[in-house]
């Protein structure tokens, strides 16, 4: 795949970039390793000062970088600005809290004595150079939620971003440089996916984090495992959105629309499978379908646009194949199900609701990366849980209910990294983010995220000998 900015609203190639050669890659890895030797010795106050400065700059740059993101991958420009501001907020969150989150821990006096020590403690030390392989769908947020905690922990970063967002990738390198981070602390590598293996196998690279597809995750995890290096994976999702009889149906249907089409439907944590109790199915389906049908599809630079184009022609083709397969096997399109006729240029797809989906259809098992929802009717809680778990993925989940017994059962039984009640899944620096099953392993954000790339070091001091013995 060429490294290029291709406007998904028009299909026009705006700018292309040459991939780094072997000598340039070597130079950047060497620079990162050199930077780490010095940067790891800085204090939390200095790291926080630099990260807060980066947050200030990002807020100032938000209108401009939002337009760059929209040009490169098609998200509505209002959402792109919100993404930039969310990144600045996360930077400040870690700048303020990293020292506390990574404070030395001290076991109880009784445990220290039982361990045969005079004193003992646990320390969090940085690992070194971390390679980040990041996707295009949230081209700032996915990077910052790795970079902010990693830099505050004393690590340095190498970013291999998606090949369709090169200008956003280069902006991030420039942002951290302008903020005053030492040279080599955060660098962008404009390389293709074929270069990842050699970079990850380099002994100066300590760990890797990847957000992306399951095949990409499998490949990177295999290399990291072979090299015995730490890896964190955030892969796909096919999140259930369960609506039970006690739910506020109006709110549930209204929120469902946003939950499905956020980022033009191209989000791992977007709700994709809508599982509705038969007692409220008809009312929910009517409201949800009407809401999807009423969305404004159009130019992502227009502030009034709800849904822009998909990021690539291939992405739209993949989505079309899933929908066409479902329709050919008996599913019914309550709305959408095709390209919007008014948008002949660009990679647009109409917001779609499919009913009558069965296990024989590919869309039942595969992730839909676009504004397409599948709608299911269930007879009770047990069936809802079974259907929600009937997926290879386990990233997050949404449940609408006001019944406390429902809450207890869904928390206990849903196979997912998160359960969001009476709202839609969202990420926040204070809350750990990640999944189970084929959605990956490890966690981003919160204390869990900043500790992923730390050497958790036990320090043990033996008791001094008794001079009288």
């Amino acid at each position: 795949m060429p490294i290029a900015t291709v406007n998904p609203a028009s299909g026009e190639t705006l700018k292309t970039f040459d991939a780094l050669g072997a000598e340039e890659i070597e130079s950047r890895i060497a620079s990162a390793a050199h930077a780490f030797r010095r940067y790891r010795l800085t204090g939390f106050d200095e790291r926080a000062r630099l990260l807060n400065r980066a947050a200030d700059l990002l807020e100032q740059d938000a209108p401009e970088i939002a337009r760059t993101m929209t040009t490169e991958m098609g998200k509505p420009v209002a959402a792109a600005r919100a993404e930039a501001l969310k990144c600045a907020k996360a930077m400040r969150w870690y700048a303020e809290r990293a020292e506390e989150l990574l404070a030395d821990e001290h076991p109880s006096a009784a445990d220290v004595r039982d361990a045969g020590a005079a004193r003992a403690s646990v320390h969090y030390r940085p690992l070194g150079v971390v390679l980040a392989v990041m996707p295009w769908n949230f081209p700032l947020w996915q990077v910052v939620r790795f970079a902010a905690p990693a830099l505050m922990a004393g690590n340095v970063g190498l970013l291999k971003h998606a090949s369709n967002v090169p200008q956003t990738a280069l902006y991030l390198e420039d942002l951290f440089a302008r903020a005053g981070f030492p040279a080599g602390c955060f660098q962008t590598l404009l390389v293709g996916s074929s270069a990842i293996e050699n970079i990850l196998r380099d002994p100066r690279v300590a760990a890797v984090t990847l957000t992306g597809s399951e095949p990409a995750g499998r490949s990177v995890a295999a290399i990291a495992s072979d090299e015995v290096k730490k890896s964190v994976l955030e892969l796909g999702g096919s999140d259930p959105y369960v609506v039970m009889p006690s739910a506020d149906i109006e709110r549930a249907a209204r929120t469902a629309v946003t939950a499905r089409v956020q980022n033009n439907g191209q989000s791992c944590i977007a709700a994709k499978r809508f599982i509705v109790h038969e007692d409220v199915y008809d009312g929910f389906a009517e409201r949800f379908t009407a809401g999807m049908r009423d969305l404004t599809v159009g130019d992502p630079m227009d502030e009034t646009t709800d849904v822009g184009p998909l990021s690539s022609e291939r992405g739209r083709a993949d989505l079309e194949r899933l929908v066409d397969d479902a329709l050919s096997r008996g599913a019914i399109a309550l709305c959408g199900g095709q390209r919007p006729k008014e948008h002949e240029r660009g990679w647009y797809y109409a917001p779609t609701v499919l009913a009558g989906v069965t296990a024989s259809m590919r869309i039942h098992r595969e992730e839909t990366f676009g504004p397409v929802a599948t709608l299911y009717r269930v007879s009770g809680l047990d069936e809802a849980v079974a259907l929600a778990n009937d997926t290879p993925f386990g990233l997050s989940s949404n449940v609408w209910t006001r019944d406390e017994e429902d809450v207890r059962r869904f928390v206990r039984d849903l196979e997912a990294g998160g359960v969001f009640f009476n709202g839609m899944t969202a990420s926040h620096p204070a809350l750990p983010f990640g999944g189970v099953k084929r959605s990956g392993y490890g966690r981003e954000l919160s204390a869990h995220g900043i500790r992923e790339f730390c050497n958790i070091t036990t320090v043990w001091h033996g008791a001094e000998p008794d001079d009288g013995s």
Side-chain angles (χ1 to χ4, degrees):
M1 181 178 182
I3 301 173
T5 297
V6 181
N7 187 343
S10 66
E12 180 185 4
T13 299
L14 303 177
K15 195 170 185 178
T16 59
F17 297 82
D18 293 329
L20 296 179
E23 290 185 5
E24 294 168 302
I25 294 172
E26 161 59 28
S27 175
R28 286 173 178 259
I29 295 175
S31 176
H34 177 75
F36 173 66
R37 287 193 290 272
R38 295 186 178 184
Y39 182 69
R40 70 183 183 86
L41 302 177
T42 60
F44 285 108
D45 286 348
E46 174 62 7
R47 296 174 198 169
R49 183 187 69 79
L50 295 171
L51 196 59
N52 278 319
R53 176 58 179 156
D56 292 340
L57 292 171
L58 182 52
E59 285 181 338
Q60 296 170 20
D61 297 344
E64 180 180 354
I65 188 57
R67 293 182 67 84
T68 299
M69 285 192 283
T70 296
T71 298
E72 291 199 307
M73 53 72 59
K75 72 171 63 207
V77 70
R81 279 198 309 274
E83 180 177 337
L85 297 177
K86 181 176 183 177
C87 290
K89 178 180 178 180
M91 289 177 178
R92 291 199 173 94
W93 192 91
Y94 273 109
E96 179 181 341
R97 293 170 176 83
E99 184 171 10
E100 176 186 353
L101 297 176
L102 298 180
D104 297 346
E105 298 174 4
H106 301 276
S108 70
D111 284 339
V112 170
R113 288 194 300 271
D114 195 52
R119 52 194 171 98
S121 54
V122 177
H123 299 249
Y124 293 94
R125 298 162 52 210
L127 287 181
V129 179
V130 181
L131 172 65
V133 182
M134 293 287 110
W136 49 263
N137 57 336
F138 291 95
L140 281 185
W141 174 239
Q142 298 282 7
V143 177
V144 166
R145 72 188 198 187
F146 139 75
L151 289 168
M152 283 305 301
N155 296 295
V156 301
L158 293 173
L159 170 64
K160 189 283 180 222
H161 218 324
S163 294
N164 62 331
V165 290
Q167 294 186 68
T168 305
L170 291 170
Y171 167 80
L172 283 159
E173 178 180 85
D174 181 65
L175 173 70
F176 289 112
R178 285 188 291 135
F181 281 90
C185 278
F186 187 93
Q187 300 175 84
T188 286
L189 305 177
L190 290 185
V191 296
S193 58
S194 61
I196 294 173
E197 180 169 358
N198 285 341
I199 296 168
L200 183 50
R201 289 191 185 279
D202 191 291
R204 293 164 294 184
V205 175
V208 62
T209 178
L210 177 142
T211 298
S213 68
E214 184 184 339
R218 287 178 181 274
S219 175
V220 165
I223 298 166
S225 175
D226 189 52
E227 293 291 333
V228 197
K229 293 181 179 181
K230 178 69 180 286
S231 62
V232 171
L233 303 180
E234 193 264 280
L235 308 178
S238 189
D239 291 4
Y241 189 102
V242 182
V243 183
M244 297 298 287
S246 64
D248 180 334
I249 301 304
E250 290 283 354
R251 282 187 58 225
R254 186 168 60 250
T255 305
V257 174
T258 304
R260 177 60 283 223
V261 302
Q262 58 176 310
N263 206 44
N264 302 339
Q266 300 166 121
S267 170
C268 295
I269 57 169
K272 300 183 176 79
R273 298 177 298 129
F274 295 81
I275 300 167
V276 187
H277 193 283
E278 60 187 8
D279 290 353
V280 293
Y281 178 91
D282 290 341
F284 177 87
E286 179 181 358
R287 292 170 175 82
F288 179 46
T289 302
M292 292 283 281
R293 187 184 293 116
D294 290 344
L295 291 167
T296 299
V297 179
D299 181 358
M301 289 294 185
D302 188 329
E303 296 285 346
T304 65
T305 291
D306 298 312
V307 179
L310 299 188
S311 69
S312 68
E313 190 171 16
R314 176 180 174 180
R316 183 175 64 177
D318 289 344
L319 188 67
E320 286 179 318
R321 280 191 285 270
L322 287 178
V323 173
D324 292 347
D325 172 78
L327 294 174
S328 72
R329 295 174 184 272
I332 299 170
L334 302 182
C335 68
Q338 60 190 356
R339 302 179 184 184
K341 294 182 174 59
E342 63 272 25
H343 295 290
E344 295 183 0
R345 298 181 67 211
W347 301 312
Y348 291 90
Y349 197 80
T352 299
V353 178
L354 297 180
V357 174
T358 67
S360 68
M361 303 170 187
R362 288 178 55 202
I363 205 166
H364 179 75
R365 305 290 293 174
E366 298 181 32
E367 182 180 20
T368 50
F369 228 54
V372 174
T374 53
L375 191 57
Y376 299 84
R377 184 195 303 262
V378 294
S379 60
L381 189 148
D382 289 339
E383 187 180 358
V385 169
L387 184 54
N389 290 338
D390 186 25
T391 173
F393 302 105
L395 192 52
S396 190
S397 58
N398 310 261
V399 178
W400 286 76
T401 182
R402 289 179 280 199
D403 185 310
E404 285 304 314
E405 177 58 21
D406 286 356
V407 170
R408 187 187 69 80
R409 282 287 309 279
F410 282 112
V411 170
R412 187 191 72 181
D413 294 341
L414 284 180
E415 298 168 353
V419 187
F420 285 69
F421 287 98
N422 302 318
M424 58 181 275
T425 299
S427 54
H428 186 278
L431 301 174
F433 184 93
V436 295
K437 300 196 289 189
R438 293 187 182 179
S439 288
Y441 52 75
R443 290 296 180 266
E444 298 175 300
L445 303 176
S446 78
H448 299 278
I450 197 171
R451 293 170 182 168
E452 285 283 6
F453 296 114
C454 287
N455 174 8
I456 305 173
T457 308
T458 296
V459 178
W460 185 96
H461 298 268
E464 293 294 331
D466 187 343
D467 291 340
S469 61

